[in-house]
Amino acid sequence: MRIRELAVPGAWEFTPTMHGDERGVFAEMFKASEFEKAVGRPLDLLQINTSTSAAGVLRGIHYTEDPPGQAKYVTCTSGAFVDVVVDLRPGSPTFGTWDSVVLDDVDRRWVFLSEGLGHAVLSLADASTVTYLCSLEYTPELDHEVDALDPDIGIAWPATGRDGQRLTLLRSPKDAAAPRLRDLAVAPRGRR
């Protein structure tokens, strides 16, 4: 497994080694010893979520108040997504910094994001399915969102999907009404 820390401290990309032959493909998707060596802690698992989206569906940027925060280990089980991690930790020297990874059913990458980081996914193909392993059960009063199209964050969302067709973004009303980064209560001094 190849492991790479993203530009956002506290987030990593895990790319499994694929072993294929005429029968198909095998890969180790998680190995506790390698995960803990890279991340410095075990993967706490309290809830697993899955979501299927049409091409162009943009979910997020979502985050959970920290503390307690919610860490996530995320992969795409079918189709393709752009997975984005944003630093939303108050006082962090990288507050507002983002990085992205393409998650798909070919390379089978995973992304781990620590508590305090925001998360968004953009579906690049119809019927794309993303799965999240979460360190905290869903707690609505702790969950919040930031506008994924906020120019202050400046995420470079792709304009075309996996098939080369132009994407039309579709967001939930809640995500479309999300506040900008500068309007968050978590924004550190000087970044509002």
Side-chain angles (χ1 to χ4, degrees):
M1 181 171 292
R2 291 188 325 269
I3 303 170
R4 176 179 70 92
E5 188 167 12
L6 299 181
V8 177
W12 288 264
E13 170 191 271
F14 293 80
T15 305
T17 302
M18 305 300 216
H19 304 279
D21 60 23
E22 66 279 355
R23 300 168 298 158
V25 177
F26 172 83
E28 291 179 343
M29 305 310 275
F30 176 81
K31 195 170 200 172
S33 59
E34 290 186 29
F35 181 89
E36 290 177 28
K37 183 178 177 184
V39 174
R41 65 184 241 200
L43 177 64
D44 298 321
L45 177 60
L46 295 181
Q47 183 169 323
I48 300 174
N49 302 322
T50 190
S51 174
T52 301
S53 300
V57 171
L58 175 56
R59 299 179 187 272
I61 303 170
H62 300 144
Y63 70 99
T64 302
E65 286 179 30
D66 187 24
Q70 183 185 61
K72 297 176 184 174
Y73 193 52
V74 183
T75 195
C76 173
T77 55
S78 66
F81 288 90
V82 170
D83 186 284
V84 174
V85 179
V86 182
D87 190 344
L88 298 176
R89 297 170 291 198
S92 171
T94 57
F95 182 85
T97 300
W98 65 274
D99 201 352
S100 66
V101 173
V102 173
L103 300 179
D104 62 25
D105 55 11
V106 176
D107 294 322
R108 304 282 186 194
R109 289 183 186 95
W110 291 73
V111 169
F112 175 75
L113 56 141
S114 300
E115 296 85 350
L117 300 179
H119 184 247
V121 292
L122 172 63
S123 177
L124 299 176
D126 283 335
S128 292
T129 301
V130 66
T131 299
Y132 303 74
L133 285 65
C134 303
S135 69
L136 181 72
E137 292 181 8
Y138 175 63
T139 312
E141 63 273 14
L142 298 177
D143 287 352
H144 304 285
E145 52 281 326
V146 177
D147 185 358
L149 303 179
D150 183 344
D152 292 337
I153 300 172
I155 297 170
W157 296 108
T160 57
R162 187 183 214 182
D163 61 3
Q165 295 295 313
R166 181 144 185 86
L167 292 175
T168 300
L169 297 184
L170 177 61
R171 301 194 291 166
S172 72
K174 185 177 179 183
D175 285 349
R180 290 179 59 173
L181 187 65
R182 67 180 179 206
D183 299 325
L184 289 183
V186 300
R189 294 185 189 274
R191 290 296 304 250
R192 290 182 184 245

